[in-house]
Amino acid sequence: MESIGPGAGDPHPAGLSVAGQRRRLALSGVRGHVAKGRDFTHQALRDWGWDGTETADDVLLLVSELLTNASLHAGGCVELVLTSGTALRIEVFDATTTLPRRHPSPQRGLPGGHGLYIVERLSDRWGSTVHDSGKAVWAEIEASRLTSGRPAGA
């Protein structure tokens, strides 16, 4: 794990900005990467003063969905990166350049095909960026939602 930025890893004192902090978790070859990613994210939210709300729960679900999608559709996760600022940016890196596609018509009540719909519904923005060695699928949640605790659409 790598934390970058002032006071990275220290609990966030009230009133101080967490903007510009970045935390990285290497996941290549790691077993139980979804649980590890959720724990890593939960700790970052706690340290940044953004935990204990419905929106924080949304963040944990987003991380789970992005990591699961990378595992199922992109040959596995390489890294999880969290960046704080005016928004929390969640990035999951994998080793393929194939862009994610939403399932055209997922079936209600049946597993599979719902992940990107969940990502779209819970995040303020999401997308993907291709790199030389793969891609990052990312989602963002506005910091104001994290501090107010209000879920999307509230």
Side-chain angles (χ1 to χ4, degrees):
M1 173 180 79
E2 175 186 0
S3 295
I4 301 169
D10 297 329
H12 170 61
L16 296 180
S17 174
V18 298
Q21 289 190 26
R22 176 174 289 159
R23 295 190 179 189
R24 305 166 72 107
L25 178 65
L27 291 169
S28 186
V30 171
R31 296 177 67 120
H33 61 275
V34 174
K36 285 181 175 47
R38 284 178 62 93
D39 290 345
F40 173 80
T41 302
H42 186 252
Q43 185 61 51
L45 292 173
R46 182 179 301 133
D47 291 347
W48 294 338
W50 289 343
D51 65 328
T53 67
E54 287 182 59
T55 304
D57 291 340
D58 289 350
V59 168
L60 297 177
L61 181 54
L62 280 168
V63 167
S64 296
E65 289 296 332
L66 292 172
L67 291 172
T68 298
N69 284 348
S71 180
L72 293 175
H73 306 294
C77 308
V78 174
E79 185 175 39
L80 168 63
V81 178
L82 305 173
T83 306
S84 66
T86 57
L88 170 65
R89 185 174 178 100
I90 304 159
E91 296 174 281
V92 173
F93 290 81
D94 62 52
T96 71
T97 57
T98 304
L99 296 177
R101 297 183 306 117
R102 286 189 330 178
H103 191 284
S105 56
Q107 301 295 312
R108 288 183 80 146
L110 294 177
H114 302 277
L116 291 178
Y117 284 98
I118 293 169
V119 170
E120 185 175 86
R121 175 79 183 194
L122 295 179
S123 67
D124 292 310
R125 290 167 297 285
W126 77 278
S128 57
T129 307
V130 175
H131 301 281
D132 291 338
S133 59
K135 72 175 173 304
V137 180
W138 56 268
E140 291 181 342
I141 291 186
E142 291 296 325
S144 59
R145 283 184 48 210
L146 287 158
T147 55
S148 72
R150 284 188 226 110

